[in-house]
Amino acid sequence: MGRSRWAAAAGLAVAVFAQQPAPPVRTFTPGPAVRQPIPYSHEKHLAMGLKCAQCHKNADPGETMGLPATALCMGCHQTIAKEKEPIQALAKYHAGKRAVPWERVYQIPSYVFFSHRSHLNAGATCEGCHGKVAERAVLFREKDISMGACMECHRREKAPNDCQFCHENR
Ligand code: HEC
Ligand code: HEC
Ligand code: HEC
Ligand code: HEC
Ligand code: HEC
């Protein structure tokens, strides 16, 4: 092959490469342990054989997983460890018909569309977006749910990535 042809091919390759969008620079640092009003441990409770879905019900229309009502906890803690201080605090919320003011760990702004059900139906897993919850005594943001992370998976899975897919005017 003549030198000029090689140069032309290389030039073409460079031009094509240059047309690709630059890979997004995305760094993610896990967040700190989130302090909760009651020191609930996923690790301890899941070791008893409880299932995610017993506490996180994907109620219709399926966007949220929700958090359990105090009544669910009191099903056991009416009797179990009821002399312990955190359980007395829990019982107080329950008696006052107040939800425990849990600090949120994963939250996205309300201007972003997101549905748990669509993603679960598409084969995504709890662990993929939230990490090894069942092994955690205290949760922290250990997985990236930023716009860059959403778009990276959409690119990989060939799901749409135009702005309006996740934002207003869809
Ligand atoms: C594709 C990523 C993804 C998957 C898969 C996923 N989640 Fe989430 N999860 C999120 C995002 C994003 C939020 C924040 C939603 C918001 O603020 O509206 C969230 C929020 C939550 C919340 C807080 C309450 C709520 O619904 O906003 C709980 C609890 C939760 N997820 C549990 C689970 C469980 C249990 C599974 C598996 C059955 C799961 N998630 C699978 C991304 C995911
Ligand atoms: C299936 C029964 C069951 C359910 C449901 C349950 N727990 Fe527990 N929980 C236990 C058991 C058993 C222990 C261990 C008790 C011990 O170590 O003495 C425990 C321990 C705890 C502790 C530690 C108590 C201490 O100081 O030693 C807290 C806090 C707690 N649970 C909160 C909750 C909350 C909040 C909920 C609801 C989201 C909940 N539990 C639901 C059975 C349950
Ligand atoms: C006994 C009830 C119970 C079970 C079972 C349970 N959770 Fe939770 N989950 C809670 C409570 C209470 C909170 C709020 C306190 C906290 O963040 O630790 C919570 C919080 C979460 C959050 C953070 C939500 C947010 O954005 O603030 C995620 C994610 C989550 N759970 C996932 C799971 C997964 C995955 C499983 C199964 C492997 C599971 N949970 C099983 C009770 C439960
Ligand atoms: C694990 C890969 C993955 C991650 C992470 C992910 N998505 Fe998706 N998403 C998909 C796939 C695949 C679909 C297509 C599902 C279908 O065909 O219905 C989808 C569909 C959607 C839809 C349309 C579903 C509907 O019901 O309208 C929205 C909106 C969306 N994603 C937003 C988000 C946002 C926001 C995030 C980040 C917080 C995110 N996605 C993270 C894979 C992912
Ligand atoms: C796959 C879902 C998805 C797509 C596609 C998407 N976004 Fe986002 N966007 C998000 C999420 C999630 C957030 C919230 C990120 C956070 O708070 O960490 C966000 C936040 C934003 C913000 C606020 C950022 C900030 O720092 O305050 C702007 C502006 C934005 N998006 C614009 C766009 C534009 C423009 C496009 C099209 C090029 C786009 N988005 C496409 C999911 C998406």
Side-chain angles (χ1 to χ4, degrees), residues 36 40 42 51-52 55-56 102 104-106 130 133 139:
Q36 295 292 358
Y40 169 79
H42 278 86
K51 298 279 175 267
C52 311
C55 291
H56 301 297
W102 302 111
R104 289 294 306 273
V105 183
Y106 292 89
H130 298 306
V133 173
L139 298 190

Side-chain angles (χ1 to χ4, degrees), residues 18-103:
Q19 281 164 16
Q20 302 296 313
V25 179
R26 204 160 57 72
T27 53
F28 171 71
T29 324
V34 177
R35 282 187 60 122
Q36 295 292 358
I38 293 178
Y40 169 79
S41 161
H42 278 86
E43 182 187 31
K44 188 183 285 191
H45 288 83
L46 289 160
M48 293 171 205
L50 294 176
K51 298 279 175 267
C52 311
Q54 282 174 264
C55 291
H56 301 297
K57 301 193 186 301
N58 187 221
D60 288 336
E63 283 166 18
T64 65
M65 296 307 298
L67 293 170
T70 53
L72 187 136
C73 315
M74 292 309 287
C76 289
H77 287 295
Q78 210 82 57
T79 52
I80 295 170
K82 68 174 190 204
E83 72 293 347
K84 299 272 180 66
E85 205 186 300
I87 302 302
Q88 289 180 354
L90 174 68
K92 221 165 174 183
Y93 284 116
H94 183 67
K97 297 189 175 8
R98 287 187 299 143
V100 180
W102 302 111
E103 283 294 332

Side-chain angles (χ1 to χ4, degrees), residues 63 108 112-115 117-119 121-125 128-129 144-147 149-154 156-160 164-167 170:
E63 283 166 18
I108 51 176
V112 182
F113 298 113
F114 179 78
S115 160
R117 193 172 294 170
S118 306
H119 288 85
N121 286 344
T125 62
C129 293
D144 190 359
I145 54 158
S146 65
M147 177 163 132
C150 306
M151 291 180 85
E152 198 167 287
C153 187
H154 278 214
R156 207 168 54 233
E157 305 273 335
K158 306 203 178 347
Q164 266 127 52
F165 194 65
C166 297
H167 296 300
R170 189 140 71 106

